[in-house]
Amino acid sequence: MGTQAMHIANGIVNAPISALFAAIALIGLAFCVVRSRADLDDRLAPMAGLVAAFIFAVQMLNFQVLPGVSGHLLGGALAAMLVGPWVGALCVTTVLVIQCLLFADGGLTALGLNVTNMALIGTAAGYLIIVVLLRVLPKTPLGLGITTFVASVLSVVVASQGFVLEYWLGGTTTMSISTIAVALAGAHLLIGVGEGIIAATTVITVAKVRPDLVYGLRALRARTASRVSTPVAAGAA
Amino acid sequence: MNRRPGWFLAGGLLVALVLAGVVSNFASSSPDGLDAAARQGCTFDAAGHITGGTCMAQQEQQHQLKDGPLANYGIKGVDNPYLSNGLAGVAGVVITFGLGVGVFWLVRRRGARTGPRGDA
């Protein structure tokens, strides 16, 4: 009972590689801030705050995936579906920064590693899969649900391999990297299924109550209708 | 359909508060996928300290902010573990929402009429 620490702690990856990924995270976030302005209007700003708060809450809900092993939602695919990739990455980052600074979860020196894996890699992978799947699947609540499920599963596994890359570059033990990669991919495949169920349920609910608030639906529908490629122009079309 | 965003936000926040404040007390307390992999290969004593073996968590260091008032998802000074975890969760949701809305409000486009609502 109670909530576990759940992100990369201090000292797992060495200082130079942690610093390198802090720099990568900062550059990535700066890019997200610039790109997110096109999506962020008076109405999306409070919705994005809600998505961040919701991800914080659901990250506290560790579910059992194997005996002695639990998992929790990372939220990248969910955020990308609801508020778009740029704002979505910033939502996950907000959660990670608060968890690190206030809840002592995820090391301070490891913050760049955690942001890179969960906010940048996780959201990017989730969004790419969403874009591909919504070209083929129907844009109904069920279609969105299936899309979110698949995007969540794959984005969690890809995000876990971000850690493998970081550990390969700067791990503080001489353990076999392939063993770590396989162990993490396996556990995160199961975690991804749990995340997919939670994220798909959330997206289906929002799509039924307020379809206009689902970014994936809004941006892609407008795009196919008017053949313009930016969400700004799509909104005006 | 109710188009007012206020109701949706209030409903969503309420769900988040219940999940973080109440449901989180029933979450699994096993280490998560990453932590479990990090501990694999080492042996631990009852207090969770490494007693031998080789594992990724060997060089793990304590968090710089481990003594903060909300550290490890508990309120410092609240002895009941359910209350402590629940209140920390509620505080986290409120702070995340506040910071999130604040940051996104500052970053947003001002006076834009190009949103899906502006053209309705």
Side-chain angles (χ1 to χ4, degrees), chain A residues 1 3-4 6 10-11 37-38 40 42 57 62 64 70 99-100 102-106 108 167 173 210 218 235, chain B residues 2 16 25 28-33 55-56 59-64 70 72-73 85 107-109 114 116:
Chain A
M1 171 223 51
T3 303
Q4 292 285 307
M6 40 202 173
N10 290 323
R37 290 181 72 93
L40 272 172
D42 287 4
N62 280 54
Q64 204 76 25
S70 74
Q99 285 171 329
C100 174
L102 295 181
F103 294 88
D105 184 10
L108 197 56
Y167 202 81
T173 65
R210 290 289 303 269
R218 206 153 28 96
Chain B
N2 184 2
N25 276 309
S28 165
S29 54
S30 298
D32 72 7
C55 64
M56 287 193 277
Q59 307 290 323
E60 185 175 323
Q61 287 141 24
Q62 288 199 309
H63 201 286
Q64 292 92 334
L70 291 170
N72 301 313
Y73 300 90
N85 183 74
V107 176
R108 83 191 196 284
R109 285 175 292 129
T114 50

Side-chain angles (χ1 to χ4, degrees), chain A residues 48-63:
Chain A
L50 176 60
V51 167
F54 185 80
I55 290 174
F56 175 90
V58 182
Q59 285 207 352
M60 288 182 76
L61 309 179
N62 280 54
F63 46 84

